Amino acid sequence: MCKTEDSDEEWEMKVKLLGDDKSDKLKNSMVSRSRMKLWIIRAITTALLWTSVVQLVALGEMWGPRLLKGWPSCFSHPDVALSSVPAKVALPPKRAYKNNGYLMVSCNGGLNQMRAAICDMVAIARYMNVTLIVPELDKTSFWNDPSEFQDIFDVDHFISSLRDEVRVLKELPPRLKIRVELGMLHSLPPISWSNISYYLHQILPLVQKYKVVQLNRTDARLANNGLPIEIQKLRCRVNFNALRFTKQIEELGRRVVRILREKGPFLVLHLRYEMDMLAFSGCTHGCNNEEVEELTRMRYAYPWWKEKVIHSEMKRKEGLCPLTPEETALTLKALGIDRNVQIYIAAGEIYGGDRRMKALADDFPNLVRKETLLEPADLQFFENHSSQMAALDYLVSLESDIFVPTYDGNMARVVEGHRRFLGFKKTILLDRKLLVNLVDQYSEGSLSWDEFSSTVKQVHADQMGSPKMRSIVPDRPKEEDYFYANPHECLQLLDEPLRST
């Protein structure tokens, strides 16, 4: 109190000495300094608070249930239902378990080969009780696609939709990330077609020892059959729910389907007659000498394509080659496909161009591609990103009235399985070995058109993607039905019993 009174007296003396004008200036100056100090204190306090909040949220995202359980992230999108966006589904509760370590995954191959591998790796991570790092996609294959996981798939949906099964992080925690950057991790390709006991008894001890293990080739690393039903259903859940394409890809796919639907029904033809496929398989039926030499040089240029000397005609007779455009045209006509139906070509550039497509275009004039349905600007973002282009074809293939693959590659099989899941949409599975024999007989004149057509229809009457069990070939997993082509454990069937193939 004394100090306050003394200061008041001093103030009055200063006012008298300085006069009214100067006293006003002094008052204003002191008030301005007080306000400036107050503003600086507030700014520093706010900055400190925000820094603390960001650090706490980052820790919460890193350690999951250990810290900040249930707190919303400052950087997550609010759960607000927008007019053009459906309301978000409530997230499943986080699964609590003792983390045995971290699993890194390097996928190999094209989009659908990697898609199946991701499903397998999620199931494996779940049953080893490890944390899965968002898979790394192949950038060194023939397609040389630089796309990251988040460029193709909705990574946030992938993580959140599986949180009741497995903990997924976008990257390793900082201390482990540094170790990996220094090369301190154990990396290996797992054994193909393994059951879950291989991962529990061979891979899990490595994770527990090294804390971080990288599986560097992940295609076909989990068996088709002989697995617990929970694993099979989890593989399906990842494939049909968690692996959702990015918003940009989904919207463009819907636009293509809408354009096609405006003109009526449409058939998707997965015409796998592209340069890489022909070079890899050694299938050159219908190619001229220059093309045969070009494909051979390409096959030798890729050391990981192990088979070099290939007897093309013998392979074709065994049904191991994709149908040519000419063979495909005859097959579609024989099956009774309306010549005026829209046929969407889900493929890259057809080898031989217009010359090889002429027979198909003459018989079915309404051939379309994404490049003819969309403006160049619509596809500009996807240029030199083959996996994103394949994702667009995948979406259109799912929605088609009929899906016809000319080769049983990864896309054909994964789309077949997805269409089964969506209610057994018609998928015509071509018997190539029989077809090339019939085509040759018809071309040589030893078989009439009516005989050719009736035989083709009869053979394929039961190959339309109808319900049936997978075939099992003991000790020869490559020869048995692929899980992702027919995941019958996951399909909601009516009272009709499953039939064995």
Side-chain angles (χ1 to χ4, degrees), residues 460-476:
H460 293 91
D462 193 37
Q463 298 196 52
M464 301 287 179
S466 56
K468 57 182 65 177
M469 295 283 284
R470 287 193 307 277
S471 66
I472 300 175
V473 183
D475 301 322
R476 290 185 292 173

Side-chain angles (χ1 to χ4, degrees), residues 337-400:
I337 301 297
D338 186 345
R339 78 181 307 270
N340 294 314
V341 73
Q342 297 176 98
I343 295 183
Y344 176 92
I345 305 296
E349 184 178 352
I350 302 303
Y351 191 62
D354 293 340
R355 176 178 63 84
R356 296 305 301 271
M357 289 293 288
K358 185 178 186 306
L360 187 59
D362 287 345
D363 289 333
F364 297 93
N366 290 328
L367 297 180
V368 295
R369 306 172 61 97
K370 50 187 171 290
E371 292 85 356
T372 61
L373 296 174
L374 299 170
E375 297 294 329
D378 295 324
L379 293 171
Q380 184 176 2
F381 180 81
F382 298 89
E383 289 181 2
N384 301 318
H385 294 81
S386 59
S387 291
Q388 295 181 50
M389 287 286 200
L392 185 58
D393 283 340
Y394 186 97
L395 289 172
V396 180
S397 299
L398 290 184
E399 296 297 326
S400 63

Side-chain angles (χ1 to χ4, degrees), residues 313-478:
E313 283 304 311
M314 184 181 297
K315 198 165 187 178
R316 174 176 174 268
K317 292 289 186 182
E318 290 298 316
L320 301 177
C321 289
L323 294 184
T324 67
E326 296 88 352
E327 293 166 344
T328 302
L330 286 172
T331 300
L332 294 180
K333 283 175 62 180
L335 287 168
I337 301 297
D338 186 345
R339 78 181 307 270
N340 294 314
V341 73
Q342 297 176 98
I343 295 183
Y344 176 92
I345 305 296
E349 184 178 352
I350 302 303
Y351 191 62
D354 293 340
R355 176 178 63 84
R356 296 305 301 271
M357 289 293 288
K358 185 178 186 306
L360 187 59
D362 287 345
D363 289 333
F364 297 93
N366 290 328
L367 297 180
V368 295
R369 306 172 61 97
K370 50 187 171 290
E371 292 85 356
T372 61
L373 296 174
L374 299 170
E375 297 294 329
D378 295 324
L379 293 171
Q380 184 176 2
F381 180 81
F382 298 89
E383 289 181 2
N384 301 318
H385 294 81
S386 59
S387 291
Q388 295 181 50
M389 287 286 200
L392 185 58
D393 283 340
Y394 186 97
L395 289 172
V396 180
S397 299
L398 290 184
E399 296 297 326
S400 63
D401 296 282
I402 304 174
F403 176 64
V404 183
T406 61
Y407 186 72
D408 58 351
N410 287 291
M411 175 163 171
R413 293 186 292 177
V414 177
V415 169
E416 175 194 344
H418 205 150
R419 286 173 66 85
R420 286 178 181 273
F421 179 78
L422 295 175
F424 297 99
K425 291 185 173 183
K426 182 179 287 188
T427 300
I428 304 179
L429 306 171
L430 301 177
D431 186 334
R432 295 188 306 280
K433 184 175 181 179
L434 177 73
L435 280 171
V436 296
N437 182 42
L438 292 174
V439 166
D440 288 347
Q441 290 183 55
Y442 172 70
S443 300
E444 293 165 0
S446 59
L447 199 65
S448 69
W449 174 255
D450 288 341
E451 291 172 322
F452 174 71
S453 180
S454 62
T455 305
V456 170
K457 288 175 182 175
Q458 181 180 354
V459 168
H460 293 91
D462 193 37
Q463 298 196 52
M464 301 287 179
S466 56
K468 57 182 65 177
M469 295 283 284
R470 287 193 307 277
S471 66
I472 300 175
V473 183
D475 301 322
R476 290 185 292 173
K478 289 184 178 181

Side-chain angles (χ1 to χ4, degrees), residues 23 102 178 188 218 230 260-261 283 317 319 323 353 378 470:
S23 66
Y102 296 83
I178 292 173
L188 76 160
T218 55
E230 294 80 11
L260 290 165
R261 283 269 175 249
C283 298
K317 292 289 186 182
L323 294 184
D378 295 324
R470 287 193 307 277

